[in-house]
């Protein structure tokens, strides 16, 4: 029996022949790419872009639907919608909504006033000629 033999081979090992040995090697991973450091890191809270005028215009337009009996609310909402559209690009959708709603009510009031003044003028004109 030879001392060069592996245990469990029962003495039938071949002498002079190299037995392959499988050593476990740690897996090789690709090296992580090195990137430069970021030039600017923003930490903390970033304030939202201003949208106050646009929101106010839209809210006044919605209030005009419910409380449409006033002329002043839609007029103020319409003006705020125009200013909000020009100064607040982040609130563009709300400003357009406010412009449409308030514009409809301003036009509605203008038509109403024209009709009332027209009927009143027609009533005055006919009442002056009917009596002798």
């Amino acid at each position: 029996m030879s001392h060069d033999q592996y245990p469990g081979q029962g003495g039938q090992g071949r002498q002079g022949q190299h037995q392959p040995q499988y050593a476990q090697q740690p897996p090789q991973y690709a090296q992580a790419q090195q990137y430069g450091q970021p030039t600017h890191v923003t930490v903390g809270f970033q304030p939202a872009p201003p949208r106050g005028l646009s929101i106010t215009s839209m809210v006044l337009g919605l209030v005009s639907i419910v409380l449409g009996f006033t002329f002043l609310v839609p007029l103020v909402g319409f003006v705020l919608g125009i200013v909000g559209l020009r100064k607040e690009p982040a609130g563009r959708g709300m400003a357009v909504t406010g412009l449409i709603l308030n514009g409809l009510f301003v036009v509605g009031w203008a038509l109403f006033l024209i009709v009332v003044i027209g009927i009143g003028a027609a009533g005055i004109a006919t009442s002056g000629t009917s009596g002798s």
Side-chain angles (χ1 to χ4, degrees), residues 27-118:
Q28 299 293 322
Y29 296 105
Q31 293 291 329
Q33 295 180 358
Q34 298 295 323
Y35 295 105
Q37 294 294 326
T39 57
H40 178 70
V41 176
T42 305
V43 178
F45 175 74
Q46 291 199 7
R51 293 185 293 230
L53 296 172
S54 302
I55 292 172
T56 306
S57 173
M58 184 181 72
V59 168
L60 289 178
L62 294 171
V63 166
S64 295
I65 292 173
V66 178
L67 305 173
F69 55 85
T70 64
F71 178 72
L72 186 61
V73 172
L75 187 62
V76 170
F78 189 77
V79 171
L80 288 176
I82 292 172
V83 174
L85 193 61
R86 293 185 182 199
K87 291 189 176 186
E88 300 173 347
R92 181 174 175 81
M94 291 180 280
V96 169
T97 303
L99 278 172
I100 291 170
L101 291 173
N102 290 309
L104 288 174
F105 281 99
V106 167
V107 168
W109 269 105
L111 290 175
F112 177 74
L113 290 175
I114 290 171
V115 169
V116 167
I117 291 172

